[in-house]
Amino acid sequence: MINEQIRDKEVRLIGENGDQLGIMSAREAMKLAQEAELDLVKIAPTAKPPVCKIIDYGKYRYEQARKEKEAKKKQKTVEVKEVRLSPNIEGNDLNTKVNNARKFLEKGNKVKVTLRFRGREMAHMQTSKHILDDFAELLKDVASIEKPAKLEGRSMSMVLTEKR
């Protein structure tokens, strides 16, 4: 809230230089802000009494937007990349998939390894779990298992993350 929107009887006032001006009525605080040709801005509305500061509101909003933008820049999003396998995968194909997963992990992404079953493969779901275990074993130098292998419908999947 700014200027006339502040309806509290008493407010704790902070001056434009950051110095405490004490507790006073909202009208007095508004007069001081007008004399300084600045805005009265409520900074901490939940405090008793609410804390208001005499500042240039436009500049204040600009600074806040800049801080938020800077914080957003420093954030890193982690994507989940998927590697799909089938129960009758051969050794060289598995190595290719392992190399792809290694690249994803080195870039800082998580890897979801999915073993898909089709047709008659559905009858041998539990015997194919070793493929996911081998996959994790080949990547144990760079990855750790976040979620162990779990059966979900027609597929079995696990999630790997980069080792810290």
Side-chain angles (χ1 to χ4, degrees):
M1 287 196 225
I2 61 166
N3 299 333
E4 287 81 25
Q5 294 175 347
I6 299 170
R7 297 264 179 242
D8 301 293
K9 287 182 182 176
E10 285 188 333
V11 293
R12 182 178 302 274
L13 189 63
I14 299 172
E16 52 202 298
N17 303 328
D19 48 323
Q20 292 274 347
L21 300 177
I23 298 172
M24 59 180 68
S25 72
R27 285 195 185 119
E28 288 177 44
M30 190 62 212
K31 282 179 189 172
L32 287 171
Q34 285 174 344
E35 286 169 13
E37 295 182 1
L38 294 170
D39 300 306
L40 184 66
V41 180
K42 193 188 280 191
I43 294 176
T46 55
K48 296 282 186 230
V51 180
C52 293
K53 191 172 184 180
I54 297 175
I55 46 177
D56 182 3
Y57 187 63
K59 187 176 179 183
Y60 173 72
R61 289 229 353 249
Y62 170 74
E63 292 291 330
Q64 273 190 326
R66 215 177 87 219
K67 282 179 189 172
E68 285 175 15
K69 195 174 180 183
E70 200 64 37
K72 213 173 194 178
K73 255 186 212 176
K74 290 177 183 160
Q75 266 181 358
K76 187 184 185 302
T77 56
V78 176
E79 285 185 57
V80 178
K81 302 283 189 172
E82 187 174 18
V83 175
R84 288 184 175 171
L85 309 172
S86 67
N88 51 7
I89 191 168
E90 292 298 320
N92 289 331
D93 295 335
L94 187 68
N95 289 335
T96 303
K97 298 285 188 178
V98 166
N99 289 336
N100 288 342
R102 188 179 301 273
K103 286 177 191 170
F104 295 148
L105 288 164
E106 286 167 356
K107 287 181 183 172
N109 297 316
K110 291 182 180 183
V111 176
K112 181 178 181 180
V113 185
T114 306
L115 188 59
R116 291 189 316 168
F117 299 98
R118 297 191 312 258
R120 289 190 183 157
E121 296 168 349
M122 298 286 289
H124 307 288
M125 282 181 164
Q126 295 307 320
T127 55
S128 300
K129 187 180 182 300
H130 72 88
I131 295 170
L132 290 177
D133 296 336
D134 294 345
F135 197 92
E137 189 65 30
L138 290 168
L139 286 171
K140 73 178 181 194
D141 57 328
V142 292
S144 59
I145 298 174
E146 185 180 282
K147 285 185 187 171
K150 183 180 173 189
L151 192 62
E152 298 165 353
R154 292 179 156 268
S155 62
M156 189 181 292
S157 62
M158 71 175 175
V159 179
L160 302 172
T161 56
E162 188 179 19
K163 265 189 183 171
R164 300 268 175 237

